[in-house]
Amino acid sequence: MAFRKQWVAALVLAGLAGPSALANGWSDEWGGKLLLTRGISTVEGAGGGGLASWALITGNETERGIGGTAHASWVELPDYSFSAQGVALGFHDRFELSYTRQAFDTEAVGAALGLGQGFTFEQDVFGAKLRLFGDAVYDQDSWLPQIAAGVQYKVNNQSAVLNAIGAQDDEGVDLYLAATKLYLDRSLLLNATVRATRANQLGILGFGGDLEDDYQWAGEFSAGYLVNRRLLIGAEYRFKPDNLGLAGEDDWLDVFAAWAVNEHLTLTAAYVDLGSIVTFEDQRGLYFSIQAGF
Amino acid sequence: MIRSLLLAGLFSAGLSAAALAQSHPPHAQPGELEVDPYTVSDANAGADPIEDADVFVAFGGEAGIARVVDGLLERVREDERIEGIFRASDWPRLRRTLIEQFCYILGGPCTYTGRDMASVHRDHGITTREFNALVENLQDAMDAEGIPFALQNRLLARLAPMHRDVVTR
Ligand code: HEM
């Protein structure tokens, strides 16, 4: 099932990329964005911070080209480990398509809950994002941010277990609106995102629950300070629903440093506090991400 | 036949009128080429001055700004991404007007006597990628002068909106 969906995604990608590239001729130029202005990749695959999806479009391309990124991210927590790997394409600094596969390893908790040592939830996240208006980088004579609308379709591979813990669905769709702006005269990058979601822990624990099954609004906020052209340090806060009676969840936060080694490689390290996950409290740990871009 | 002769006459008259109108502006320095007439105004600089005297001081005043502009032009000349665009440029004039422009925007005691950003860049078909290449060269030039990054960004924040006028392709 998941396999088939991946092929559908590949076809959609090719279908969109093909005509766009042909319409503009293969003379489309590569690269050209300023360092760090493509963002990094979120654990859900979108261009953004680490946890919050931003309005920036991934890839090094300008409005005259096509670009892309690939990322691998890891989060090491006291009782779990989480990883995400994915690819994304940016078209003309306007439209973004992404695919990311997440794996949430329950390690010893899996054994304790009778699921088996190292029981792992896996989830595919297909994303699309369209930049609507505003310019985060050049419109420095206006406070207005760059605005983008995005959608993420998520498919979890553990429906039986999700059912048992009270989740209503093993797949779900998130919609979000992101506003991002570089306030260059203060060397500040600010982001605010509002997301409509039914996801439990991003969807790792399914969608909807016994406590709440409807869509809820959840905010995602990031603030970063540009130390130099290559280094952005900052923090993020992500509100989350709390739908499951059995497995209460908390908002997430992180403190990060993103370092553009060069135009093709960005490394990010963060301290994350993911709160309670399936009754195990205080899941604080380290996040590391490597992103390659063209 | 008569009509086309008339047209040709009108055309050449127009051309020589334009040639006659070209001249050295009063502020031009020796070595500069002639330019078509235009109205001199600080508004041509494309941005209002920064009202924070510390920034001008951090750039090292007019002398420091001149070093930044020299560093910028040196780098542009060797940057294969954009040097072609400047091959036919009037470098003495470009240097003088850039110093004036940066000095004016950085709140220094200067007036800008150059042309406005839209008309001077219109015919060069500049892209965002080329704009960014110039920004990187400027950043390198400011780094070389030891200007703190946060203060560099004060200048870049004033220049960034000129993307609208400079980038036409
Ligand atoms: C914010 C960015 C920029 C600023 C502030 C700026 C400023 C200036 C100034 C002051 C002049 C001279 C005006 C005059 O002669 O009256 C000029 C001319 C010129 N600029 Fe720019 N410029 C910018 C971006 C660019 C970029 C990105 C390119 C190309 C990559 C470029 C290429 C040129 C060229 C070719 C000329 C004409 C020189 C000539 O005809 O003699 N400029 N610019």
XYZ file of all heavy atoms in Angstrom, chain B residues 38 82 85-86 88-90 93-94 97-98 101-102 112 114-115 117 120-121 124 126 130-131 134 159 162 166, ligand 1:
276
model
N 19.965 64.079 -17.231
C 18.956 63.567 -16.299
C 18.884 64.547 -15.136
O 19.771 65.386 -14.955
C 19.327 62.169 -15.798
C 20.661 62.106 -15.071
C 20.732 62.218 -13.674
C 21.854 61.949 -15.779
C 21.949 62.168 -13.017
C 23.077 61.906 -15.122
C 23.120 62.013 -13.742
O 24.321 61.983 -13.100
N 29.171 37.595 -13.243
C 28.607 38.912 -13.605
C 29.564 39.860 -14.320
O 29.131 40.900 -14.806
C 28.046 39.641 -12.346
C 29.079 39.688 -11.213
C 26.771 38.999 -11.860
C 28.613 40.532 -10.023
N 28.594 41.671 -17.597
C 27.589 42.738 -17.610
C 28.253 44.116 -17.491
O 27.735 45.118 -17.967
C 26.593 42.533 -16.440
C 25.921 41.162 -16.567
C 25.555 43.638 -16.406
C 25.067 40.778 -15.365
N 29.443 44.138 -16.871
C 30.103 45.423 -16.596
C 31.187 45.776 -17.610
O 31.877 46.774 -17.447
C 30.742 45.383 -15.193
C 29.743 45.383 -14.075
C 29.222 44.192 -13.587
C 29.293 46.577 -13.513
C 28.291 44.185 -12.556
C 28.367 46.575 -12.483
C 27.868 45.372 -12.005
N 31.200 46.957 -20.574
C 31.101 48.239 -21.284
C 30.865 49.401 -20.324
O 30.516 50.498 -20.734
C 29.977 48.154 -22.302
N 31.032 49.150 -19.027
C 30.681 50.177 -18.052
C 31.737 51.269 -17.938
O 32.908 51.055 -18.221
C 30.477 49.549 -16.672
O 29.374 48.696 -16.686
N 31.251 52.407 -17.503
C 32.112 53.551 -17.218
C 32.573 53.405 -15.759
O 31.900 53.864 -14.836
C 31.284 54.827 -17.426
C 32.065 56.084 -17.102
O 33.179 55.979 -16.531
O 31.553 57.167 -17.421
N 32.968 56.457 -13.368
C 31.674 57.004 -12.981
C 30.961 56.069 -11.996
O 30.382 56.514 -11.008
C 30.802 57.215 -14.232
C 29.435 57.736 -13.900
C 28.524 57.906 -15.108
N 27.176 58.131 -14.637
C 26.673 59.326 -14.343
N 27.397 60.404 -14.536
N 25.443 59.442 -13.870
N 31.050 54.777 -12.282
C 30.398 53.786 -11.424
C 30.970 53.872 -10.008
O 30.235 53.889 -9.016
C 30.622 52.387 -12.012
C 29.861 51.225 -11.395
C 28.358 51.466 -11.450
C 30.191 49.922 -12.135
N 29.772 57.245 -8.352
C 28.359 57.295 -7.967
C 28.029 56.261 -6.886
O 27.188 56.517 -6.026
C 27.442 57.096 -9.192
O 27.870 55.938 -9.916
C 27.479 58.304 -10.099
N 28.710 55.113 -6.911
C 28.464 54.116 -5.857
C 28.918 54.639 -4.489
O 28.214 54.457 -3.490
C 29.194 52.804 -6.171
C 28.447 51.804 -7.055
C 29.340 50.634 -7.403
C 27.165 51.316 -6.367
N 26.393 57.089 -3.410
C 25.129 56.445 -3.038
C 25.228 55.778 -1.663
O 24.357 55.960 -0.806
C 24.752 55.405 -4.102
C 23.376 54.784 -3.921
C 23.140 53.640 -4.891
O 24.091 52.986 -5.350
N 21.879 53.395 -5.217
N 26.289 54.999 -1.454
C 26.444 54.320 -0.165
C 26.620 55.343 0.955
O 26.046 55.214 2.033
C 27.659 53.370 -0.192
C 27.437 52.126 -1.021
C 26.262 51.939 -1.719
C 28.402 51.135 -1.080
C 26.046 50.794 -2.495
C 28.210 49.975 -1.837
C 27.034 49.817 -2.552
N 23.827 62.313 -3.694
C 23.931 61.349 -4.791
C 23.651 62.072 -6.096
O 22.595 62.698 -6.242
C 22.937 60.205 -4.574
C 22.930 59.200 -5.705
C 24.043 58.403 -5.961
C 21.814 59.053 -6.528
C 24.042 57.487 -7.013
C 21.806 58.130 -7.572
C 22.927 57.361 -7.804
O 22.924 56.459 -8.837
N 24.075 60.500 -9.173
C 23.901 59.528 -10.262
C 22.455 59.414 -10.702
O 21.566 60.127 -10.216
N 22.251 58.473 -11.632
C 20.910 58.258 -12.159
C 20.121 57.312 -11.251
O 20.673 56.677 -10.366
C 21.010 57.677 -13.575
C 21.592 58.668 -14.571
C 22.052 57.998 -15.851
N 23.305 57.270 -15.654
C 23.991 56.698 -16.651
N 23.554 56.764 -17.877
N 25.115 56.065 -16.383
N 17.916 53.976 -10.118
C 18.241 52.552 -10.274
C 17.504 51.887 -11.427
O 18.068 51.061 -12.142
C 17.952 51.809 -8.958
C 18.859 52.209 -7.801
S 20.611 51.852 -8.106
C 21.227 53.450 -8.587
N 19.067 53.094 -14.916
C 20.451 52.731 -15.174
C 20.615 51.215 -15.390
O 21.546 50.771 -16.047
C 21.370 53.275 -14.056
C 21.376 52.365 -12.856
C 22.777 53.483 -14.577
N 19.702 50.423 -14.838
C 19.851 48.966 -14.948
C 18.924 48.337 -15.990
O 19.088 47.177 -16.339
C 19.610 48.307 -13.584
C 20.642 48.681 -12.569
N 20.395 49.596 -11.573
C 21.923 48.278 -12.404
C 21.490 49.746 -10.835
N 22.432 48.969 -11.319
N 20.104 46.076 -18.899
C 21.131 45.053 -18.664
C 20.568 43.651 -18.444
O 21.322 42.692 -18.327
C 22.018 45.460 -17.485
C 22.896 46.636 -17.798
N 23.984 46.562 -18.639
C 22.829 47.939 -17.414
C 24.565 47.748 -18.739
N 23.873 48.606 -18.013
N 19.237 42.063 -15.902
C 19.852 41.441 -14.721
C 18.874 40.471 -14.046
O 17.680 40.744 -13.956
C 20.317 42.543 -13.745
C 21.423 43.378 -14.418
C 20.809 41.956 -12.420
C 21.701 44.700 -13.747
N 22.151 37.050 -10.470
C 23.217 38.037 -10.668
C 23.173 39.105 -9.580
O 24.217 39.568 -9.098
C 23.100 38.653 -12.071
C 23.504 37.654 -13.154
C 22.931 37.948 -14.535
O 22.080 38.866 -14.665
O 23.316 37.249 -15.478
N 21.968 39.476 -9.199
C 21.808 40.430 -8.093
C 22.472 39.859 -6.834
O 23.249 40.531 -6.154
C 20.310 40.662 -7.853
C 19.995 41.730 -6.838
C 19.791 43.043 -7.226
C 19.881 41.407 -5.483
C 19.492 44.027 -6.293
C 19.583 42.382 -4.545
C 19.385 43.702 -4.953
N 26.224 39.942 -6.831
C 26.744 41.256 -6.451
C 26.672 41.452 -4.937
O 27.604 41.982 -4.316
C 25.970 42.361 -7.167
C 26.559 43.749 -6.952
C 27.268 44.216 -8.202
C 25.533 44.759 -6.527
N 19.418 48.291 0.476
C 19.661 47.973 -0.933
C 18.702 46.901 -1.461
O 18.349 46.899 -2.646
C 21.107 47.498 -1.140
C 22.225 48.456 -0.707
C 23.583 47.880 -1.092
C 22.049 49.842 -1.329
N 15.835 47.423 -3.891
C 16.207 47.858 -5.242
C 16.154 46.681 -6.224
O 16.194 46.887 -7.430
C 17.600 48.489 -5.230
C 17.659 49.737 -4.372
S 19.323 50.392 -4.305
C 19.157 51.562 -2.942
N 16.228 46.757 -10.222
C 17.461 46.281 -10.869
C 17.208 45.004 -11.668
O 17.725 44.828 -12.764
C 18.566 46.056 -9.805
C 19.769 45.350 -10.414
C 18.982 47.383 -9.172
C 21.198 47.150 -4.961
C 22.049 46.832 -5.866
C 22.691 47.833 -6.809
C 23.020 49.132 -6.620
C 22.813 49.958 -5.358
C 23.599 49.615 -7.857
C 24.057 50.893 -8.057
C 24.482 51.395 -9.274
C 24.884 52.751 -9.535
C 24.949 53.851 -8.501
C 25.180 52.853 -10.839
C 25.664 54.107 -11.598
C 24.563 55.090 -11.831
C 24.946 56.169 -12.811
O 25.843 55.926 -13.643
O 24.307 57.199 -12.784
C 24.998 51.549 -11.411
C 25.207 51.228 -12.733
C 25.286 49.941 -13.195
N 25.006 48.794 -12.513
Fe 24.285 48.708 -10.665
N 23.603 48.596 -8.755
C 23.076 47.488 -8.147
C 22.940 46.232 -8.694
C 23.503 45.861 -9.877
C 23.609 44.506 -10.352
C 23.100 43.290 -9.595
C 24.251 44.542 -11.538
C 24.650 43.403 -12.432
C 24.977 42.225 -12.022
C 24.516 45.933 -11.844
C 25.109 46.384 -12.996
C 25.266 47.726 -13.309
C 25.714 48.190 -14.598
C 26.125 47.302 -15.764
C 25.703 49.593 -14.536
C 25.968 50.551 -15.664
C 27.307 51.092 -15.693
C 27.431 51.981 -16.919
O 26.562 51.986 -17.782
O 28.427 52.681 -16.991
N 24.049 46.694 -10.818
N 24.569 50.676 -10.444
